[in-house]
Amino acid sequence: RACIARQMDVEAYLTKTCAERIMVLDGGMGTMIQTYKFQEADFRGERFKDHPKDLKGNNDLLCFSKPDVVRLIHQQYLEAGADIIETNTFSGTTVAQADYGLEHEVFEINKRSAELAKEAAAIVTAKEPHRPRLVAGAIGPTNRTLSVSPSVENPAFRNITFDELAAAYKGQVAGLMAGGCDLLFVETIFDTLNAKAALFAIDDYFEERGEKRPPIVVSGTIVDQSGRTLSGQTGEAFYTSIAHSKPFCVGLNCALGPDLMRPFVQRMSQVAETFVHAYPNAGLPNPLSLTGYDLTPADMAVHISEWARSGFLNFVGGCCGTTPEHIKAINDAVKGIAPRKPHTHPPALRLSGLEPMAMTSDSNFANIGERCNVAGSALFKKMILENNIDRALAVARAQVDNGAQLLDFNFDDGMLDGVAMMRRFCNLVATEPDIAKVPIVIDSSKFAILEAGVQCLQGKCIVNSISLKEGEKVFIDHARRIKRYGAAVIVMAFDENGQAATEQTKVDICTRAYKILTETVGFNPHDIIFDPNILTIATGLEEHNAYALDFINAIKRIKADCPGCRISGGLSNLSFSFRGLESIREAMHSAFLFHAIKAGMDMGIVNAGNLPLYDDIDPSLLVLVEDAILNRRPDATERLLERAQLEREKKDAAKAGGVVNTPAAEAWRSLPVNERLSHSLVKGIDKFIEVDTEEARKNYPRPLNVIEGPLMAGMNIVGDLFGSGKMFLPQVIKSARVMKKAVAYLFPFMEEEKKRMIEENPDFSAKPAGTVVLATVKGDVHDIGKNIVGVVLGCNNYRVVDLGVMTPCDKILKTAIEEKADIIGLSGLITPSLDEMVTVAKEMERQGVKLPLLIGGATTSRMHTAVKIQPCFKTGTTIHVLDASRAVTVVSNLLDPTLRDDLIEDTAELYETMREEHYAAQEERRYVTLAEARSRKRVLDFTKRAPPPTFTGTKTIKNYPLEKLVSFIDWTPFFAVWELRGKYPHRGYPKIFDDPNVGPQAKITFDEAQAMLKDLIANNKLQANAVFGFWPAAAVGDDIELYDDDGKVVTTLRTLRQQAQVDVDDIPYEALSDFVAPKESGLKDHVGMFAVTAGLGLESVIKAYEEANDDYNKIMAQALADRLAEAFAECLHEEVRKVHWGYSPEEALEAADMHHIKYQGIRPAPGYPSQPDHTEKATMWSVLKASADAGIELTESLAMWPAASVSGLYFAHPDATYFSLGKICKDQVVDYAARKGQSLDEAEKWLGPTLSYDRA
């Protein structure tokens, strides 16, 4: 019999097949079992007839009592098209079987269930040996959870430990592998920590046996529209937490139907670097349905087909409520659709709490909150020793609120049971989402305490720390165990000889540890963090003077020798000599960080919120501390000690009630009010903000002007300092709180002003100027900028719908539609928000939400918007708004019909230029192979294709009335001929007449054109002819075959595909053939083409002007003929859409709407961006007969004659859009030349400007 036996074969087969097609999983085993309506006796069978406990509902036992039924269900799914079936072992652990008193049967349950599935697979594989069927061992979540307490009264309690659960999973794995499973599914994960225990057990099992692990599939469960698992993690955080296990495939199943699951599958497909699967429920539960769920097979197929075309899937199947009929429909729906290609993301240290965190080479310094450390905080230690856990949790919460990106937990104290306390505190933190959202750093010098912490955290944490001080064996053992838990690790620069103090020993120990970790242990280099020891300086001992400089200098060397690693450190040690003198210590810390971060330090245990800005350190003190830090002079310690003595005297005098003269501290209070406001914002001082805001309010006509003026100016300084690394996130948050306080103070005054305006002008409130939906995107909790924009817009009579923070994409779009919004605005502060904004743009494009999209926030930029976001929303408008003060102008212009189009066009042109500059600035533009581009082609839903045209073949129009074309003329290009260009907002016709510079001349030229146009029409000096037609068509690869009515090929149109690599995942590489139904689909589609001219007779007109040496009127006549030809193309296209093809019979567009392409379909032309090859015109002329029927000739260079002519193709699919081909590579040119029957040299000649390489 044909089967795949060896594990290596299984993985190789799956990898190969996943590159070729979407593989199909089975459906709901429980759903099918329920149709048999088994009773207690059916579950017991002979084997358990005397068992003391009820067994009804224990489906896993049916492998003993009803093996034929289980085998038959498996076989039905396989025959419906499933490639992989799961064993009937969802509850096959000792933990789950304990409810039935059957723990002792677990091995046999799993073994027998696997054997039954293998028997079914063998039967179907024998019928179809070319498509081997595989068996996956199903490992369910159990009925216990490691992250959630079963007791409301005791949130720290867990009814199972990590080790106990891992042991249960290990026993299940043993049975499944004994039964012959080809791969393992860890599925329906509602608690990621349970999954980590299962993955730990799997690795343990195979390592013990010295066997290669089979492919592992990990499947999470998003429980509702929050996008989180039951234990609170987002999908991306879930993936980050289990990625260490290197699963073959990761995805989602259960809980949701395909409609609600879609955004979460989409996100998983974007973040996962593995293959991706999904097996949703058949909609929502419905007790009246035969399967207990809403969706029929046909319903499911529609959703799954769309997922596949969107590029989300490598594997797909069904969960609850799905049957073999569902799987057959799903199999048919994905057949022929290209599978998703796994992504690779920029290298990063990826961590997670409930939410993900990624540290790339571009990330700002990360602050590790230091206050939950009994060794470093006397106050925290007191809380722990006194069992005041609520206050201790409040300390953790406050650090997150103040901007700590990670939290350090340490319970190393002789009076504490460190293991028990670490476990208790981590369990309690798991119940506090506002703390648990950030990654945790488990800190201890004892490995047992480190392990206790890691076993309680579902996210990917950092272990702090291990070292070589006990030798390589212990180091390797600890590192392997940490790796198996999936944590990152901090390695202290210690070895068998002690602590590294000098630059060279720091480098030597770290590089040695790196080599062991990467080569012996197999640690991901990006999960390695070195702490090269920040040691105390200015102690009076000469050998300590270089400690800080040695650390700074070691950073670059360690990073160069250890690619991918990160550098961290505990800052408080540096200034220990000056304990009690916070002004000295804080200045030392700020200055040290300034230099260490520039050298490459990535993170540190630091109370950044209390640090002064580097630029604000007293210059005389800065010199002293930098002399000490950088070891610039031998007497640096003595000089700093002298300053410290002065500071101590001031401090003592203050304690004794003396007067300390600190004029510099209060000098800023004498500055002008605008500068005082800016100072308060930058320093995060809220003491005087209301007083100063009131003073400023009296200086401005409107309270809003205070926000738009001095307050925004201050926040812009904050943004610049943050962007340059001179401010840390906690300091930015303090600034934001000051800003909020100022805005809150002004708000009543703005409300009073609005009330007064309504009384004076009732129409002011009768109808808002427009509705704007604002949201901070999912994953981001920062909202100060968004809130200010909301206030500013509200004060200008715009209706603002503020969705708050952490807003999912679907909620944003749903609200925008329900509220009939005019504009959507997205905000974000942290870098991951940029990816979420891309997601929103993609969804707006997919769902056809054509509202303008505004982008704002500290990490956003015009360049990022142009390069990453705007290309995802091709059919809409995306604009970056620099700050709140610009928002009103942008919104008002977008909602002004007279200004909107110019703003959109200006922005689109600017962003296109920026993209070109961005790619040109790269040393070498990257390209994908033709095969890669084709694998990521645009996939459309051809069930939405246009109906057949009213005729096939060609029709000719001669001497079309010119007067009917006048209303179709687009006059804007006419002025470009004369190099008359208005500046925004006076671009284009007719606004150009209002331009102060070119307006008067434009009006004169236009009036003269009108006079000539009337003459040309009245005296029949020009003739307009056209020929157009339609043919049955099908895409064959990158070509389009045209047929006659008998199905015979008439000609073949050749198209070219984009190859320039884009910076956004999921953006397809397009060719015009993508807009025509593929031949293999069997769907009937059509393509049209046309050629029009308005230049017949122009030669005589021009000749008369040449004889009169009248160049001005000669150019005018040529320009008008060109305008009439373009107008004829526009006019004919309208007739095609409404009559001849008739797919938009109700269309009622103005000419301006047509000029902005607001109709369905496109009419690209050879020689233009979508298909720059002019030789395709010869193919068109061969079927159009444009020379004979319309008098339009092709010259030797394939230009049209008369010159005032236009030709092109008609594509009618509603999702067809214009695109620019860009540069292409030689592999495509070789392929294209072969398809056209040209030599390579000839193809390169015609395609010269589009070649990405130099011709030989």
Side-chain angles (χ1 to χ4, degrees), residues 959-1178:
N959 211 9
Y960 192 87
L962 295 180
E963 59 271 18
K964 290 186 177 181
L965 301 180
V966 173
S967 63
F968 289 90
I969 293 177
D970 181 0
W971 286 103
T972 296
F974 168 80
F975 295 104
V977 171
W978 302 102
E979 298 187 0
L980 295 170
R981 294 181 177 86
K983 292 185 178 179
Y984 180 81
H986 305 303
R987 287 191 56 193
Y989 170 83
K991 292 185 287 294
I992 191 173
F993 300 144
D994 297 323
D995 187 274
N997 295 317
V998 304
Q1001 182 57 55
K1003 187 68 170 68
I1004 293 169
T1005 305
F1006 179 74
D1007 289 343
E1008 291 173 346
Q1010 298 306 300
M1012 180 179 285
L1013 183 60
K1014 288 180 182 176
D1015 175 62
L1016 292 172
I1017 294 172
N1019 294 300
N1020 297 315
K1021 292 183 177 180
L1022 300 178
Q1023 180 178 336
N1025 289 354
V1027 60
F1028 68 103
F1030 311 102
W1031 289 265
V1036 180
D1038 290 348
D1039 295 333
I1040 304 170
E1041 290 183 350
L1042 303 188
Y1043 310 101
D1044 60 20
D1045 291 340
D1046 296 325
K1048 181 182 177 183
V1049 175
V1050 174
T1051 193
T1052 302
L1053 301 170
R1054 314 292 178 180
T1055 77
L1056 292 160
R1057 188 169 297 282
Q1058 295 170 318
Q1059 284 187 275
Q1061 192 173 60
V1062 291
D1063 287 346
V1064 183
D1065 290 338
D1066 304 330
I1067 294 291
Y1069 295 90
E1070 295 183 296
L1072 290 173
S1073 59
D1074 294 347
F1075 304 142
V1076 182
K1079 189 173 185 177
E1080 62 269 21
S1081 72
L1083 299 173
K1084 294 182 179 179
D1085 208 346
H1086 291 79
V1087 165
M1089 61 179 74
F1090 71 95
V1092 301
T1093 184
L1096 296 169
L1098 182 62
E1099 280 189 84
S1100 300
V1101 175
I1102 289 174
K1103 184 177 180 183
Y1105 288 128
E1106 286 176 338
E1107 290 173 351
N1109 293 318
D1110 188 348
D1111 288 342
Y1112 177 79
N1113 278 317
K1114 171 188 169 184
I1115 295 171
M1116 179 71 79
Q1118 290 171 324
L1120 288 173
D1122 284 343
R1123 290 299 86 220
L1124 286 168
E1126 291 287 354
F1128 197 3
E1130 200 74 83
C1131 172
L1132 180 59
H1133 196 192
E1134 182 190 48
E1135 285 190 24
V1136 164
R1137 295 191 302 272
K1138 296 172 72 172
V1139 181
H1140 303 299
W1141 202 332
Y1143 56 81
S1144 296
E1146 305 301 323
E1147 178 184 291
L1149 297 176
E1150 299 292 331
D1153 294 326
M1154 296 183 203
H1155 299 154
H1156 288 99
I1157 318 171
K1158 294 184 179 179
Y1159 47 73
Q1160 177 181 324
I1162 57 173
R1163 49 180 176 89
Y1168 284 82
S1170 298
Q1171 169 45 297
D1173 180 13
H1174 285 275
T1175 66
E1176 281 298 293
K1177 275 186 261 182

Side-chain angles (χ1 to χ4, degrees), residues 465-472 475 490-501 505-506 508-510 512-513 530-535 573:
S465 60
I466 61 172
S467 75
L468 284 160
K469 65 183 177 182
E470 295 181 71
E472 287 190 7
F475 180 73
I490 292 177
V491 179
M492 296 294 295
F494 281 79
D495 67 4
E496 298 87 342
N497 299 315
Q499 179 174 254
T505 54
K506 293 176 193 293
D508 289 344
I509 291 174
C510 291
R512 177 188 169 199
F530 288 113
D531 183 340
N533 307 323
I534 299 176
L535 303 175
N573 282 347

Side-chain angles (χ1 to χ4, degrees), residues 142-343:
T142 80
N143 51 4
R144 306 286 178 95
T145 171
L146 289 169
S147 296
V148 181
S149 172
S151 168
V152 176
E153 294 78 17
N154 185 2
F157 172 68
R158 300 292 184 270
N159 58 7
I160 194 168
T161 68
F162 185 97
D163 287 335
E164 289 168 346
L165 189 56
Y169 280 129
K170 191 173 176 182
Q172 181 174 25
V173 171
L176 291 171
M177 297 312 298
C181 285
D182 302 299
L183 60 164
L184 296 173
F185 268 42
V186 181
E187 66 167 352
T188 320
I189 298 160
F190 55 80
D191 179 354
T192 309
L193 192 52
N194 283 33
K196 289 171 76 173
L199 296 168
F200 188 96
I202 291 169
D203 280 351
D204 206 29
Y205 173 86
F206 287 100
E207 184 181 278
E208 275 186 6
R209 283 154 183 75
E211 298 174 0
K212 178 177 170 58
R213 196 185 72 174
I216 306 298
V217 176
V218 182
S219 192
T221 296
I222 300 296
V223 295
D224 56 34
Q225 286 303 95
S226 69
R228 295 178 182 268
T229 62
L230 186 66
S231 55
Q233 276 197 312
T234 66
E236 188 171 353
F238 158 71
Y239 173 73
T240 302
S241 301
I242 57 88
H244 68 279
S245 67
K246 293 184 168 45
F248 182 81
C249 179
V250 67
L252 301 173
N253 76 290
C254 205
L256 303 175
D259 51 344
L260 299 180
M261 191 185 281
R262 187 192 189 281
F264 313 125
V265 175
Q266 178 183 24
R267 187 62 183 151
M268 187 63 73
S269 77
Q270 293 166 344
V271 303
E273 296 184 304
T274 63
F275 293 114
V276 166
H277 72 262
Y279 45 113
N281 289 350
L284 296 173
N286 178 0
L288 300 179
S289 166
L290 289 176
T291 63
Y293 286 80
D294 268 334
L295 298 185
T296 66
D299 296 332
M300 286 280 283
V302 170
H303 290 286
I304 300 302
S305 174
E306 190 275 323
W307 289 7
R309 290 195 306 276
S310 297
F312 298 166
L313 301 173
N314 299 107
F315 295 85
V316 65
C319 201
C320 302
T322 59
T323 65
E325 289 74 23
H326 287 83
I327 297 307
K328 183 181 186 308
I330 288 171
N331 182 46
D332 293 341
V334 301
K335 199 171 290 181
I337 299 177
R340 167 188 172 274
K341 289 200 69 172
H343 304 299

